[in-house]
Amino acid sequence: MRAVIQRVSHASVTIEGIKKSEITQGFLILLGICNEDTSEDVDWLVKKIANLRVFNDENGVMNRSILEIDGNCLVVSQFTLYASYKKGNRPSWFKAGSHEHSIPLYEAFCAQLSEAIGKPVGTGEFGADMKVELLNDGPVTICMDTKNKE
């Protein structure tokens, strides 16, 4: 499971001209899932993100988590995080998980993250053509891969 976590002042996702979700201060999370991912990957990633200390404290030091600032999360499925670009210039996505495998894990991730932060998590729509807007705060962008936990 791969995630790109962006600290944002605000973010939203629009599908077919209709704004599906929007958040104020918090994380925009782009989430990629492969066929090898399991519920253990969901558990690990949710815990890491919920406790990631990248929000400023009273001294301007990145020392607070999303929990400590009562922040929000918007999760957008992103199969292109599994792009293979080794051959030629047109990426291949054969490493990305199938819909049958990925949708339940995406939904579990969103539900567990919502429980971890104690509030609803905004979402996109799995497989939809989405327009994502954000104001990256910092910028702060963190990449995580559950296959590289060390």
Side-chain angles (χ1 to χ4, degrees):
M1 197 168 274
R2 292 180 179 163
V4 175
I5 302 114
Q6 298 180 57
R7 186 178 78 178
V8 297
S9 296
H10 60 83
S12 65
V13 61
T14 301
I15 303 167
E16 295 182 6
I18 299 168
K19 193 171 286 186
K20 182 172 187 317
S21 297
E22 67 181 318
I23 63 165
T24 54
Q25 182 183 35
F27 288 142
L28 168 64
I29 302 164
L30 305 176
L31 184 68
I33 299 168
C34 73
N35 283 326
E36 290 76 38
D37 290 328
T38 67
S39 60
E40 287 80 27
D41 293 299
V42 171
D43 297 342
W44 183 87
L45 193 56
V46 165
K47 184 177 179 181
K48 273 297 202 190
I49 291 172
N51 293 290
L52 187 63
R53 295 176 10 188
V54 296
F55 294 94
N56 293 348
D57 64 15
E58 61 280 351
N59 298 313
V61 177
M62 288 195 289
N63 202 28
R64 290 197 173 137
S65 71
I66 193 97
L67 299 168
E68 294 170 297
I69 66 148
D70 193 31
N72 302 288
C73 292
L74 173 58
V75 182
V76 177
S77 61
Q78 188 75 45
F79 76 94
T80 60
L81 291 177
Y82 278 96
S84 176
Y85 45 83
K86 292 184 180 183
K87 287 184 176 179
N89 294 313
R90 184 172 185 271
S92 168
W93 290 281
F94 69 91
K95 292 182 181 179
S98 67
H99 280 202
E100 295 77 23
H101 180 76
S102 299
I103 291 172
L105 288 175
Y106 171 77
E107 291 172 349
F109 176 85
C110 292
Q112 286 185 34
L113 184 60
S114 176
E115 185 176 321
I117 67 170
K119 60 173 66 175
V121 168
T123 63
E125 183 179 310
F126 198 94
D129 180 16
M130 296 174 274
K131 308 303 179 204
V132 179
E133 292 186 52
L134 68 137
L135 180 58
N136 196 320
D137 180 17
V140 174
T141 302
I142 308 285
C143 298
M144 291 186 185
D145 190 324
T146 60
K147 304 305 182 259
N148 296 319
K149 295 177 184 170
E150 303 298 314

mmCIF file of all heavy atoms in Angstrom, residues 33-35 96-103 126:
data_model
loop_
_atom_site.group_PDB
_atom_site.id
_atom_site.type_symbol
_atom_site.label_atom_id
_atom_site.label_comp_id
_atom_site.label_asym_id
_atom_site.label_seq_id
_atom_site.Cartn_x
_atom_site.Cartn_y
_atom_site.Cartn_z
ATOM 1 N N ILE A 33 -3.179 0.936 -3.926
ATOM 2 C CA ILE A 33 -3.273 -0.421 -3.372
ATOM 3 C C ILE A 33 -2.823 -1.421 -4.433
ATOM 4 O O ILE A 33 -3.194 -1.292 -5.606
ATOM 5 C CB ILE A 33 -4.719 -0.715 -2.934
ATOM 6 C CG1 ILE A 33 -5.142 0.276 -1.845
ATOM 7 C CG2 ILE A 33 -4.876 -2.159 -2.458
ATOM 8 C CD1 ILE A 33 -6.618 0.284 -1.531
ATOM 9 N N CYS A 34 -2.032 -2.413 -3.995
ATOM 10 C CA CYS A 34 -1.623 -3.489 -4.903
ATOM 11 C C CYS A 34 -2.231 -4.808 -4.422
ATOM 12 O O CYS A 34 -2.745 -4.888 -3.312
ATOM 13 C CB CYS A 34 -0.100 -3.575 -5.019
ATOM 14 S SG CYS A 34 0.741 -4.258 -3.582
ATOM 15 N N ASN A 35 -2.153 -5.829 -5.259
ATOM 16 C CA ASN A 35 -2.789 -7.108 -4.937
ATOM 17 C C ASN A 35 -2.169 -7.825 -3.750
ATOM 18 O O ASN A 35 -2.787 -8.706 -3.166
ATOM 19 C CB ASN A 35 -2.807 -8.029 -6.161
ATOM 20 C CG ASN A 35 -3.891 -7.626 -7.144
ATOM 21 O OD1 ASN A 35 -4.956 -7.159 -6.762
ATOM 22 N ND2 ASN A 35 -3.604 -7.777 -8.427
ATOM 23 N N ALA A 96 -0.785 -2.319 -9.934
ATOM 24 C CA ALA A 96 -1.931 -1.810 -9.175
ATOM 25 C C ALA A 96 -2.918 -2.944 -8.916
ATOM 26 O O ALA A 96 -3.083 -3.847 -9.741
ATOM 27 C CB ALA A 96 -2.622 -0.688 -9.939
ATOM 28 N N GLY A 97 -3.567 -2.888 -7.762
ATOM 29 C CA GLY A 97 -4.515 -3.927 -7.386
ATOM 30 C C GLY A 97 -5.774 -3.916 -8.236
ATOM 31 O O GLY A 97 -6.201 -2.870 -8.733
ATOM 32 N N SER A 98 -6.384 -5.068 -8.373
ATOM 33 C CA SER A 98 -7.658 -5.173 -9.079
ATOM 34 C C SER A 98 -8.745 -4.478 -8.258
ATOM 35 O O SER A 98 -8.604 -4.297 -7.045
ATOM 36 C CB SER A 98 -8.035 -6.649 -9.263
ATOM 37 O OG SER A 98 -8.316 -7.230 -7.996
ATOM 38 N N HIS A 99 -9.826 -4.106 -8.911
ATOM 39 C CA HIS A 99 -10.945 -3.482 -8.194
ATOM 40 C C HIS A 99 -11.466 -4.397 -7.099
ATOM 41 O O HIS A 99 -11.757 -3.943 -5.988
ATOM 42 C CB HIS A 99 -12.077 -3.139 -9.159
ATOM 43 C CG HIS A 99 -11.847 -1.875 -9.923
ATOM 44 N ND1 HIS A 99 -12.857 -1.154 -10.484
ATOM 45 C CD2 HIS A 99 -10.718 -1.186 -10.204
ATOM 46 C CE1 HIS A 99 -12.369 -0.087 -11.083
ATOM 47 N NE2 HIS A 99 -11.071 -0.094 -10.933
ATOM 48 N N GLU A 100 -11.592 -5.694 -7.415
ATOM 49 C CA GLU A 100 -12.145 -6.642 -6.459
ATOM 50 C C GLU A 100 -11.314 -6.706 -5.174
ATOM 51 O O GLU A 100 -11.847 -6.879 -4.082
ATOM 52 C CB GLU A 100 -12.237 -8.045 -7.075
ATOM 53 C CG GLU A 100 -13.191 -8.155 -8.240
ATOM 54 C CD GLU A 100 -12.634 -7.577 -9.545
ATOM 55 O OE1 GLU A 100 -11.402 -7.477 -9.715
ATOM 56 O OE2 GLU A 100 -13.437 -7.196 -10.405
ATOM 57 N N HIS A 101 -10.003 -6.557 -5.320
ATOM 58 C CA HIS A 101 -9.112 -6.605 -4.162
ATOM 59 C C HIS A 101 -9.000 -5.241 -3.483
ATOM 60 O O HIS A 101 -8.974 -5.147 -2.253
ATOM 61 C CB HIS A 101 -7.720 -7.092 -4.595
ATOM 62 C CG HIS A 101 -6.740 -7.163 -3.478
ATOM 63 N ND1 HIS A 101 -6.758 -8.176 -2.549
ATOM 64 C CD2 HIS A 101 -5.721 -6.336 -3.120
ATOM 65 C CE1 HIS A 101 -5.787 -7.974 -1.673
ATOM 66 N NE2 HIS A 101 -5.149 -6.872 -1.991
ATOM 67 N N SER A 102 -8.936 -4.188 -4.288
ATOM 68 C CA SER A 102 -8.616 -2.852 -3.773
ATOM 69 C C SER A 102 -9.777 -2.133 -3.099
ATOM 70 O O SER A 102 -9.574 -1.451 -2.092
ATOM 71 C CB SER A 102 -8.078 -1.980 -4.911
ATOM 72 O OG SER A 102 -6.903 -2.543 -5.443
ATOM 73 N N ILE A 103 -10.969 -2.267 -3.630
ATOM 74 C CA ILE A 103 -12.106 -1.520 -3.067
ATOM 75 C C ILE A 103 -12.346 -1.858 -1.592
ATOM 76 O O ILE A 103 -12.466 -0.949 -0.770
ATOM 77 C CB ILE A 103 -13.380 -1.687 -3.926
ATOM 78 C CG1 ILE A 103 -13.185 -0.957 -5.269
ATOM 79 C CG2 ILE A 103 -14.611 -1.161 -3.197
ATOM 80 C CD1 ILE A 103 -14.290 -1.197 -6.281
ATOM 81 N N PHE A 126 -13.916 5.535 -5.852
ATOM 82 C CA PHE A 126 -12.975 4.590 -6.430
ATOM 83 C C PHE A 126 -13.237 4.433 -7.922
ATOM 84 O O PHE A 126 -14.352 4.152 -8.337
ATOM 85 C CB PHE A 126 -13.070 3.240 -5.721
ATOM 86 C CG PHE A 126 -11.876 2.375 -5.956
ATOM 87 C CD1 PHE A 126 -10.824 2.381 -5.057
ATOM 88 C CD2 PHE A 126 -11.787 1.574 -7.078
ATOM 89 C CE1 PHE A 126 -9.700 1.594 -5.263
ATOM 90 C CE2 PHE A 126 -10.685 0.785 -7.304
ATOM 91 C CZ PHE A 126 -9.630 0.791 -6.401
#
